[in-house]
Amino acid sequence: AFASLLVGLPLWLLNWRVAQSQALADSDLGDHARRSVIRKAYLYLELFATVIGGMVSAGFLVYNLINAVLGNGISNFWTAVLNQLAVLIVFIVLLVYHLLALRADGTARADVLLEKQSKYQMVVFDADGKFGNAVKSVFAKRAPQVPLTVVDANSELPADLNADAVILPGSLAVNTPEKVEAWLRSFGGNKLIVSDEAAGVFWMNDFEQAADSAKSLAEGQDLRPQSSKRTTSIWTFVAYVFAALFACQLLFGLLMFGVSMVTGF
């Protein structure tokens, strides 16, 4: 064990300190290092290894303690228990350390994203007063950091109106006032169009939905506004359940394999 530490610990420290210094940098280099596939793969692999190792050592420790209580303890009981406890502590320390490193990466990434959101200007064109308030209430819950400016499309537009993206109701998209249309011609950003309660205006997600809607109209049926939210299929949940069961079976098999390698049966 000492020989392994003598060889492996300096090598690990040499590479890990460089990786950590890059990941802790408050710059584009630090953001790139935190999003590195190699870094994430190492952290998740280390977490997986420490969890499995901790489970094996904890299981073996409990096994010896139960045997001792039942009167079947081994001759060098305290030496074995202390060794297993030491191994368990090592795995716990490694697990906590790498978990904190992964959490710090996520926190730093979240701070960067929040800063980007706070610099992204959004403009909402409103015609009746209801649409703007509805957008503001949703943004307050889902994207509170994004600056949002509501502009009345029927009044004079501010001369200094600037935006990175705009949100339009469907009724304004098909019947745009002249001043808003002139401003949009010179606007080079993204335009987000949201369905509203405009009569006879329905936004289709794809050609298949357009064909089905046309068939329904031809048959005299009424169309209802379609939501852009995709529902998860029942088969997706079934696949998740089977995947979870397989993962549990795999972890249990690895645990039993580790115990059998240590105990010899």
Side-chain angles (χ1 to χ4, degrees), residues 144-204:
Q145 300 296 330
V146 179
L148 192 66
T149 303
V150 179
V151 178
D152 187 1
N154 298 319
S155 61
E156 191 72 22
L157 300 182
D160 58 345
L161 183 62
N162 294 314
D164 297 300
V166 298
I167 299 179
L168 289 169
S171 56
L172 284 182
V174 298
N175 187 19
T176 310
E178 294 182 359
K179 296 178 181 180
V180 177
E181 186 176 1
W183 186 87
L184 289 175
R185 288 197 191 100
S186 62
F187 176 70
N190 295 317
K191 306 175 185 66
L192 309 180
I193 301 176
V194 181
S195 299
D196 57 357
E197 298 179 355
V201 179
F202 301 95
W203 292 92
M204 304 290 103

Side-chain angles (χ1 to χ4, degrees), residues 176-233:
T176 310
E178 294 182 359
K179 296 178 181 180
V180 177
E181 186 176 1
W183 186 87
L184 289 175
R185 288 197 191 100
S186 62
F187 176 70
N190 295 317
K191 306 175 185 66
L192 309 180
I193 301 176
V194 181
S195 299
D196 57 357
E197 298 179 355
V201 179
F202 301 95
W203 292 92
M204 304 290 103
N205 295 326
D206 47 39
F207 297 119
E208 288 79 7
Q209 185 180 358
D212 294 338
S213 300
K215 183 172 64 175
S216 299
L217 288 174
E219 296 172 354
Q221 301 180 16
D222 294 331
L223 291 183
R224 296 181 179 180
Q226 298 291 332
S227 175
S228 60
K229 296 181 180 180
R230 296 183 179 270
T231 57
T232 305
S233 173

Side-chain angles (χ1 to χ4, degrees), residues 63-114:
Y63 172 78
N64 281 338
L65 291 176
I66 293 176
N67 275 343
V69 173
L70 297 177
N72 299 323
I74 57 179
S75 58
N76 54 347
F77 170 75
W78 288 110
T79 302
V81 168
L82 291 177
N83 286 335
Q84 293 151 15
L85 183 61
V87 173
L88 179 60
I89 292 174
V90 169
F91 279 121
I92 292 175
V93 171
L94 290 175
L95 174 64
V96 172
Y97 177 76
H98 289 89
L99 187 61
L100 291 177
L102 184 63
R103 182 174 298 179
D105 289 353
T107 302
R109 177 63 178 166
D111 293 340
V112 172
L113 294 178
L114 290 177

